[in-house]
Amino acid sequence: MAQPGKASWQEAKSSTRAAETASREPTPENYTMMEAFEWYVPPDQKHWQRLRKAIPGLKATGIDNLWIPPGCKGSSQNGNGYDIYDLYDLGEFDQKGGVSTKWGTKADLIQLFESANDAGVGIYWDAVLNQKAGADRTERCDVVEVDPNDRTRAITDPYPIDGWLAFDFPGRGDRYSTQKYHWYHFTGTDYNNANGKTAIYRILGDGKDWSKFVDKEKGNYDYLMFADVDYTHPEVEADVKAWSVWLCNQVPITGIRFDAIKHFSEEFLKSLVEHLDTQVRPGWFLVGEFWKDSLDAMTTYIRNMQHKFSLFDAPLVYNFSSISNMPGADLTKVFEGTLVQCEPYNAVTLVMNHDTQPDQALAADINPFFKPLAYCLILLRAEGYPCIFYGDVYGIKGDRPSPPSCGGKVPDLCLARKLYAYGEQKDYFYHPQVIGWTRRGTWDRPFGLACVMSNVGPKQLWMEVGMEHSGEVWSDILGWEQSRVTINQDGWGCFLCPGETSVAVWVNERAEGRDKFGQL
């Protein structure tokens, strides 16, 4: 069944351990999330339809939850939604070039949710709350320019600008919300229409300043882009809270991915979550984009949010990138300094996403030969909640297109997680260039697996899978290693991996579901 929220996922992990140590309770199925888009998905307004058609196959491979792209109207039909214009337009009103968002109409979106619900797949909404873009007209306001590297330092005296700061929503009118946005609902902007100058402008007004509850990078990292929303203004707070309840009444989301959370008020976000808990229901899965290679900053945020939030494990992505591009790098250090190592229940592990894919602002170059290893490290281990990337499953479009990664094997690795990645985990991280681990299985998910990887050519590891597996014949579900291994009477086997930088995932040849591999 699909994961309804983070609370249930944590309960599932806890009950797995309890089942292994004290009871015969059923072992819950592992959950896997997919980011269901990449930056260069064609702007054909058919993506909701594509995802709807893909849901049965995704569910069969073990994808239980989809993180869909921002579904609110952007500043144009080509925008991915991070250029957000109107929270209350899900592809329903003729605004900013048409009715549809880049992804489709509201009717398409509702049908996607219906199909997902029928298949037992949850959907996480991508909430873009930090900024607004595509204003309908300019308004005059007083500002100071600030130092881009220290936003607490003004570098000009106050003066007036004409900023794109008036949002009238003429296509929607007062439907769903009567709130319009004006200069005093924002803390900053980046363009003066009076002279065409681009800068970071802090908007002045009674008591108006950058939020104090944001990351301290660049002195104060409240401002990111476009018109920066001011959550100290009571009208803004009331409108966005009302929108959150309205959204849940429009589509049955099971969780929320919050964009750019280090750039807007932590205190407001706490209040918003409490509002959802009381006005809709408790127990949401909540994950934030707090993209920073600082474990201390990430763990502090998790503590401040009372462990109700998960974060994407940015340090792990950077480890994958550096190790993959360094010949003979030390694989045993792959989890050093990562969120999944110190906060496994609050870590969403990943290999790539729309921000780190090639040609994007946070691009993290991961050698294609290393990606199968990276996906094994997030999908087949006990710690973390893995998120696979649409571009690695279906390929990437754009000016530099690329085919599905891992030789098209990401779905097989997801299926291996769904069927076999259960039970006690034993690590063999003893050699810098050859590592492995085993999962023993549980009483009701008994098959287990063994994974071995190397970045210096074909290697092998003796690893224990348990005496209960004695006499079984195991083979590589990926089909890259052609040999077979018979588990000895003590429950050990000598597991190989082929190739220069490669991995093998070993499972009993007679395990339930083996016939599904290579068919996805």
Side-chain angles (χ1 to χ4, degrees):
M1 59 186 294
Q3 177 196 16
K6 179 182 172 186
S8 65
W9 176 65
Q10 291 178 324
E11 291 164 6
K13 300 294 283 186
S14 298
S15 64
T16 297
R17 292 180 178 177
E20 291 174 344
T21 58
S23 73
R24 300 279 285 181
E25 296 176 3
T27 305
E29 184 178 300
N30 289 325
Y31 292 114
T32 304
M33 177 199 324
M34 184 176 84
E35 179 182 10
F37 65 105
E38 56 98 6
W39 195 258
Y40 301 109
V41 167
D44 57 7
Q45 292 83 54
K46 294 181 179 180
H47 195 58
W48 297 147
Q49 297 176 31
R50 273 190 291 272
L51 291 180
R52 183 187 179 198
K53 293 175 183 176
I55 280 176
L58 292 172
K59 179 63 176 179
T61 67
I63 305 302
D64 302 282
N65 295 287
L66 298 179
W67 154 24
I68 62 172
C72 301
K73 184 66 63 69
S75 64
S76 79
Q77 282 195 311
N78 294 331
N80 284 338
Y82 300 103
D83 57 334
I84 186 158
Y85 168 70
D86 187 358
L87 286 170
Y88 289 92
D89 185 355
L90 307 182
E92 183 177 3
F93 303 100
D94 190 355
Q95 302 184 114
K96 298 303 169 183
V99 173
S100 294
T101 66
K102 174 180 177 177
W103 319 108
T105 65
K106 183 178 180 180
D108 294 333
L109 179 66
I110 290 171
Q111 289 179 342
L112 169 62
F113 272 87
E114 290 172 348
S115 296
N117 185 67
D118 290 344
V121 172
I123 293 184
Y124 301 154
W125 191 262
D126 197 333
V128 183
L129 304 181
N130 177 70
Q131 68 263 354
K132 283 189 176 295
D136 298 301
R137 53 190 173 84
T138 62
E139 287 185 336
R140 177 151 288 205
C141 60
D142 290 332
V143 302
V144 292
E145 294 179 32
V146 300
D147 182 345
N149 296 310
D150 181 1
R151 278 79 180 284
T152 65
R153 188 174 76 87
I155 57 176
T156 68
D157 292 330
Y159 69 94
I161 68 167
D162 292 335
W164 288 96
L165 298 167
F167 291 79
D168 302 320
F169 313 119
R172 176 170 59 82
D174 291 337
R175 183 82 180 274
Y176 303 133
S177 170
T178 60
Q179 181 66 47
K180 315 302 178 187
Y181 281 74
H182 303 282
W183 69 266
Y184 45 84
H185 294 122
F186 303 100
T187 59
T189 189
D190 63 356
Y191 184 74
N192 180 5
N193 197 61
N195 60 11
K197 183 177 180 179
T198 297
I200 299 178
Y201 301 101
R202 180 168 62 81
I203 297 171
L204 303 178
D206 291 342
K208 186 174 284 294
D209 201 348
W210 300 132
S211 172
K212 296 178 175 60
F213 304 104
V214 296
D215 191 63
K216 303 308 179 188
E217 188 178 343
K218 300 183 186 296
N220 179 294
Y221 220 170
D222 188 1
Y223 188 80
L224 178 63
M225 63 178 73
F226 304 126
D228 190 73
V229 177
D230 182 0
Y231 281 103
T232 66
H233 198 293
E235 291 179 354
V236 173
E237 179 178 8
D239 187 53
V240 174
K241 285 183 175 178
W243 167 80
S244 69
V245 175
W246 172 85
L247 175 68
C248 296
N249 289 327
Q250 302 298 305
V251 286
I253 63 174
T254 54
I256 306 173
R257 181 260 187 191
F258 288 97
D259 184 58
I261 59 173
K262 69 179 182 179
H263 300 286
F264 70 95
S265 172
E266 187 179 295
E267 290 300 298
F268 169 73
L269 195 49
K270 285 181 186 176
S271 177
L272 178 63
V273 171
E274 291 172 359
H275 185 74
L276 284 168
D277 285 347
T278 58
Q279 299 301 312
V280 184
R281 61 171 175 79
W284 299 93
F285 172 75
L286 306 171
V287 60
E289 184 224 357
F290 191 98
W291 202 262
K292 191 168 185 174
D293 192 13
S294 169
L295 188 59
D296 287 343
M298 297 178 79
T299 55
T300 297
Y301 191 91
I302 288 171
R303 288 195 299 271
N304 289 347
M305 299 303 287
Q306 302 167 334
H307 284 80
K308 291 183 178 181
F309 259 72
S310 292
L311 298 180
F312 293 101
D313 197 342
L316 179 62
V317 173
Y318 291 127
N319 281 5
F320 287 157
S321 178
S322 62
I323 288 175
S324 75
N325 289 292
M326 186 184 304
D330 190 343
L331 295 175
T332 66
K333 298 183 182 299
V334 67
F335 292 114
E336 285 193 1
T338 63
L339 189 63
V340 72
Q341 184 183 55
C342 67
E343 293 280 3
Y345 292 106
N346 293 94
V348 173
T349 54
L350 70 162
V351 177
M352 183 174 283
N353 68 12
H354 70 275
D355 282 324
T356 68
Q357 72 179 86
D359 300 326
Q360 291 304 298
L362 300 174
D365 179 31
I366 297 177
N367 190 309
F369 290 103
F370 189 81
K371 276 196 172 182
L373 286 68
Y375 269 108
C376 286
L377 286 161
I378 72 167
L379 287 168
L380 303 182
R381 295 179 59 78
E383 300 82 17
Y385 179 16
C387 178
I388 68 169
F389 179 47
Y390 182 94
D392 284 329
V393 177
Y394 296 103
I396 291 174
K397 306 294 185 183
D399 293 336
R400 291 200 299 158
S402 59
S405 72
C406 306
K409 296 291 188 180
V410 174
D412 280 339
L413 291 174
C414 291
L415 184 61
R417 173 177 173 81
K418 173 185 172 73
L419 296 178
Y420 310 130
Y422 299 95
E424 178 187 350
Q425 178 173 289
K426 188 170 184 179
D427 289 339
Y428 296 81
F429 283 36
Y430 304 134
H431 189 286
Q433 284 80 45
V434 187
I435 63 172
W437 65 92
T438 60
R439 303 295 301 275
R440 195 163 181 161
T442 62
W443 72 272
D444 57 342
R445 299 183 185 271
F447 301 109
L449 61 80
C451 183
V452 59
M453 59 182 62
S454 165
N455 61 355
V456 290
K459 295 292 178 180
Q460 61 188 33
L461 277 180
W462 276 95
M463 298 191 293
E464 182 183 12
V465 295
M467 293 179 64
E468 63 271 30
H469 297 291
S470 297
E472 295 176 356
V473 178
W474 287 33
S475 60
D476 177 21
I477 58 115
L478 299 174
W480 293 339
E481 170 57 48
Q482 298 300 310
S483 63
R484 302 160 78 208
V485 173
T486 300
I487 309 302
N488 70 19
Q489 63 181 2
D490 297 318
W492 289 71
C494 184
F495 299 100
L496 295 81
C497 68
E500 192 64 29
T501 299
S502 191
V503 63
V505 180
W506 297 82
V507 175
N508 182 353
E509 287 189 330
R510 295 186 177 182
E512 182 180 337
R514 279 298 303 259
D515 59 319
K516 297 178 181 179
F517 289 86
Q519 308 298 317
L520 305 172

